[in-house]
Amino acid sequence: MRKMFLLFLVFTVSLFSFGEKITIKAVFSPMPNISEKLLKKVIKNYEKLNNVSVEIEIIEGNYLKILKEKMNRKEPLDMIFMTPLYIKNAIALNWLQPFKEEYLTEIEKMNKLEYFPRDFINKKKIYGYSTGSMGTTLFYNKKLLKKYGIPKPKKMEDMPKILKMSKEKGIIPLVSDTIFLGNDIAVLNEHLKYHLNMEANKIFLHPNEIGYRNRYQAFFSGKVAFISGAIEESNRDDLYRDIFGIIPMEGYSFNLKTLPYAYTVGKHSKNPKEAINLMRFLNEKTKYADMRKIRNDFINGM
């Protein structure tokens, strides 16, 4: 009897020890090489601490088009980087699943807007966990603007005029990794309407259209006037300060104002709880950095 009990115990422990490790499938939009390396380093640390595996995919092509194809194939995406310009469409198309209340901490429940951006809350259901970033800003090529006599933008309200002027001078106005035109989307807010109009007029281009892998590669070619990017990227080693100018987006009501990005859970996710734990970890790792100080130090050093 004792021998049988020991065999049962060994068998049970073996199942526990060698059971299949949970794999979180995460999808991101393009980022600079150094940011990608940092992301992978942070996630590797998370894997060690939590005994899980994270499968990262960084989509270099038309992000929304490829995402749509994945959804149509019912791929079990656990974590999806999502722009606020598209979240209403994603919810309407039933691409995402709302966060279950029991997956949230008490602190998160009491301070919802600190952790879950307003744009990602629909009918009291939460669909996105803040990336923890201070948001995006605009980077511009100082040398290119000077060469073509294009005035340096002083505020976001100047941008529509300056972008059109850039196009008239024969240079590429702005490159964005997220293109909405041609993705069969409904115009559900003014920000999206503005982007669609700019894309239709070839003011906003996707880097693939002009032969580049992502917006950063296009920007460093010296042929692009503006790109959008995360504020914290202003201190990256692979950004060339001799051509690099920055316009803070905070505090402006213009269509390109700072918009909060978030991580969402795909409709066919197999590991929603584990995905939210990873989102929480990434949020904390980003939030601890003083992004505002990084940005201000950069501007003062220009």
Side-chain angles (χ1 to χ4, degrees):
M1 186 76 180
R2 180 170 174 166
K3 183 184 273 188
M4 287 184 66
F5 174 75
L6 287 172
L7 284 171
F8 174 77
L9 186 63
V10 169
F11 179 69
T12 305
V13 171
S14 298
L15 283 177
F16 178 78
S17 301
F18 300 103
E20 189 176 352
K21 184 187 287 188
I22 289 173
T23 298
I24 299 171
K25 295 181 180 293
V27 177
F28 297 87
S29 63
M31 59 189 77
N33 291 337
I34 196 164
S35 297
E36 184 178 330
K37 288 177 183 176
L38 182 62
L39 172 69
K40 288 179 178 178
K41 184 178 179 181
V42 171
I43 285 180
K44 191 174 181 180
N45 185 33
Y46 180 82
E47 289 176 321
K48 289 179 181 177
L49 292 171
N50 294 275
N51 192 35
V52 298
S53 175
V54 181
E55 187 179 297
I56 303 170
E57 181 180 0
I58 296 174
I59 296 176
E60 297 287 359
N62 187 322
Y63 188 71
L64 292 179
K65 182 181 178 182
I66 295 171
L67 203 55
K68 181 180 178 180
E69 291 168 355
K70 287 179 175 293
M71 291 299 175
N72 289 340
R73 291 194 297 267
K74 298 183 178 180
E75 289 190 23
L77 303 179
D78 299 307
M79 191 172 98
I80 305 169
F81 177 86
M82 182 67 67
T83 166
L85 290 176
Y86 200 70
I87 184 61
K88 287 185 179 179
N89 279 275
I91 294 171
L93 291 167
N94 199 24
W95 281 10
L96 310 173
Q97 56 177 279
F99 294 5
K100 290 185 178 180
E101 192 80 4
E102 59 263 34
Y103 294 163
L104 310 181
T105 67
E106 289 304 315
I107 293 176
E108 289 167 348
K109 291 175 186 177
M110 289 188 292
N111 302 277
K112 285 187 177 179
L113 292 180
E114 182 179 341
Y115 296 95
F116 315 112
R118 194 183 299 275
D119 290 331
F120 291 81
I121 300 175
N122 183 270
K123 296 179 180 178
K124 296 184 178 181
K125 293 181 179 179
I126 296 169
Y127 286 91
Y129 203 112
S130 171
T131 61
S133 171
M134 289 285 289
T136 58
T137 191
L138 276 184
F139 302 144
Y140 65 94
N141 187 320
K142 294 189 288 187
K143 285 187 175 180
L144 205 58
L145 266 58
K146 185 177 180 180
K147 178 181 177 181
Y148 287 91
I150 299 169
K152 175 183 173 181
K154 295 180 180 178
K155 54 185 179 178
M156 289 306 303
E157 283 79 1
D158 298 335
M159 285 308 300
K161 182 179 178 181
I162 289 176
L163 288 170
K164 288 177 183 177
M165 189 184 298
S166 300
K167 185 184 177 185
E168 289 167 2
K169 296 278 187 178
I171 59 177
I172 300 165
L174 187 144
V175 170
S176 172
D177 286 314
T178 302
I179 292 295
F180 301 94
L181 207 63
N183 283 305
D184 301 322
I185 60 177
V187 179
L188 300 175
N189 61 51
E190 286 301 310
H191 299 299
L192 187 54
K193 183 179 180 181
Y194 172 78
H195 273 257
L196 286 166
N197 180 56
M198 287 301 211
E199 288 170 28
N201 288 293
K202 295 296 180 183
I203 301 295
F204 292 0
L205 296 176
H206 192 278
N208 294 171
E209 290 183 61
I210 51 176
Y212 296 102
R213 189 167 61 91
N214 57 48
R215 65 186 184 272
Y216 299 98
Q217 192 182 67
F219 185 71
F220 297 141
S221 72
K223 300 175 183 177
V224 176
F226 298 89
I227 60 168
S228 61
I231 289 170
E232 59 267 30
E233 286 157 7
S234 62
N235 77 329
R236 300 303 193 206
D237 294 336
D238 58 350
L239 297 180
Y240 307 147
R241 285 191 176 221
D242 61 333
I243 68 168
F244 192 61
I246 187 170
I247 315 169
M249 285 190 183
E250 297 170 64
Y252 296 104
S253 58
F254 179 62
N255 285 296
L256 279 173
K257 71 177 182 178
T258 296
L259 295 170
Y261 294 121
Y263 304 119
T264 59
V265 177
K267 179 184 177 181
H268 304 289
S269 167
K270 294 179 180 178
N271 308 295
K273 184 178 180 180
E274 291 77 11
I276 292 171
N277 286 338
L278 174 58
M279 296 173 193
R280 188 177 291 122
F281 185 81
L282 291 176
N283 171 283
E284 287 301 318
K285 288 296 178 184
T286 307
K287 199 162 62 173
Y288 284 134
D290 187 354
M291 303 307 176
R292 195 181 302 272
K293 183 178 185 301
I294 288 172
R295 187 203 66 197
N296 291 341
D297 285 349
F298 180 85
I299 294 171
N300 294 335
M302 287 170 61

